[in-house]
Amino acid sequence: MTRPRIEVAVRAEAKLGEGPTWDAATGRLLWVDILSARIHTFDPADGRRTVMATEQHVGAALPRAGGGLVVNLRDGIGLYGPGGEFSWLVRDPVPGRRGNDAAVAPDGALWAGSMRYDEGPGGGALIRVTAGAPDALGRSTGTVTDIRPVTVGNGTGWSPDGRTMYYIDTPTGRIDRFRADTHSPGEPLVDEGPLATIEAGAGHPDGLTVDADGCVWVALWDGAAIRRYTPDGALDRTVELPVRRPTSCAFGGPGLRDLYITTARVGVPAPHPLTGSLLVLPDAGQGVPGTPFAG
């Protein structure tokens, strides 16, 4: 267990901070407050912040190749253009369900998770979404080629060589591995077994990121910690946090050396003063450049 210098990037009181993502094109960190329906940005160079409201709960906001954002909303996958204009890519409203974590694969496709508000078993899904050519009005229609039932669709990431996809369905308590380099859209994912299982009492696996060494960093909800697992599943680092509910983590900043950590206040009876803030662990390691959504 290590106690490094945890700093505050953005002091906030997010109900359910989530989805930190480095936007290389703008040099800013994106993150969301799901239950407040807000998309935040933070520029570490000058400390500037922005906040944008969405009309639905937003589980993730990720950069698009042509500018703007792809967002995982309550009723499906939406797009914001560079000027802020909104359109639906995949609209699939299901009563009692919302979008949760999401990530972009090395091929530019979006993998998006969902869940029921009551966390009912099997009530969510993991889907793979691509965008078709825009129509005459500039609108794209999304294609969903993979659907996998889950309960709480959460952390998703890829090994640096693109061969392995890591995925978390939180109630399983596992970080699962799937074969990615031979996967064909629409075909079942090839399960390679769990990378790691979180032991009882240590918290619940939530969001994750993969570093340049191929190690997986995972946030432990109710575990007040971030863990780093080697590619063979060995636990080699645990970072204690002052907050009970970290939700996810991502590398960003100059050279992708700083680890940003989102946190949540929801359900915490006596929150620490930093609960709900965006935290940062300076010079934590070496991140991998992300891929913007190709749509």
Side-chain angles (χ1 to χ4, degrees):
M1 190 80 71
T2 60
R3 297 178 181 273
R5 187 180 83 256
I6 300 293
E7 297 181 358
V8 181
V10 176
R11 188 175 291 272
E13 294 187 354
K15 294 180 182 178
L16 186 50
E18 256 287 8
T21 302
W22 183 250
D23 184 351
T26 63
R28 300 183 302 178
L29 190 89
L30 293 160
W31 60 288
V32 302
D33 183 352
I34 297 176
L35 298 181
S36 296
R38 297 288 189 272
I39 300 172
H40 296 256
T41 72
F42 168 65
D43 187 338
D46 57 18
R48 291 185 183 179
R49 301 162 49 190
T50 68
V51 182
M52 182 178 77
T54 58
E55 294 189 5
Q56 296 185 355
H57 289 163
V58 54
L62 302 158
R64 298 171 60 192
L69 302 172
V70 57
V71 289
N72 193 14
L73 297 169
R74 184 193 66 202
D75 292 345
I77 308 301
L79 299 175
Y80 283 101
E85 62 279 9
F86 177 81
S87 62
W88 284 105
L89 184 63
V90 175
R91 191 169 188 272
D92 181 26
V94 175
R97 188 183 75 177
R98 66 167 175 83
N100 203 44
D101 210 345
V104 178
D107 64 0
L110 178 74
W111 289 80
S114 59
M115 59 179 284
R116 288 192 56 81
Y117 283 94
D118 62 9
E119 299 185 18
L126 173 64
I127 62 174
R128 178 182 183 273
V129 182
T130 56
D135 62 17
L137 297 178
R139 299 170 300 191
S140 292
T141 300
T143 300
V144 177
T145 52
D146 291 84
I147 303 176
R148 180 184 181 89
V150 299
T151 298
V152 180
N154 244 316
T156 309
W158 289 263
S159 59
D161 62 10
R163 294 183 61 186
T164 303
M165 173 178 162
Y166 298 101
Y167 180 68
I168 292 172
D169 182 1
T170 293
T172 68
R174 302 189 308 263
I175 304 170
D176 289 322
R177 295 179 296 185
F178 298 94
R179 188 65 185 258
D181 60 339
T182 60
H183 175 68
S184 297
E187 296 296 323
L189 289 165
V190 177
D191 192 337
E192 295 193 314
L195 173 75
T197 299
I198 309 303
E199 69 275 15
H204 310 283
D206 199 330
L208 65 79
T209 193
V210 183
D211 66 22
D213 294 325
C215 295
V216 177
W217 299 70
V218 58
L220 297 182
W221 174 274
D222 278 340
I226 300 288
R227 284 185 176 181
R228 181 182 189 251
Y229 288 91
T230 64
D232 61 4
L235 173 60
D236 76 338
R237 188 175 183 188
T238 300
V239 180
E240 285 188 323
L241 300 173
V243 298
R244 174 177 162 186
R245 290 186 162 174
T247 57
S248 191
C249 53
F251 283 95
L256 299 177
R257 299 286 305 174
D258 302 328
L259 188 73
Y260 288 90
I261 303 163
T262 47
T263 68
R265 294 180 70 85
V266 63
V268 180
H272 184 278
L274 295 182
T275 300
S277 294
L278 176 68
L279 307 179
V280 61
L281 178 59
D283 202 26
Q286 179 61 62
V288 179
T291 303
F293 177 61

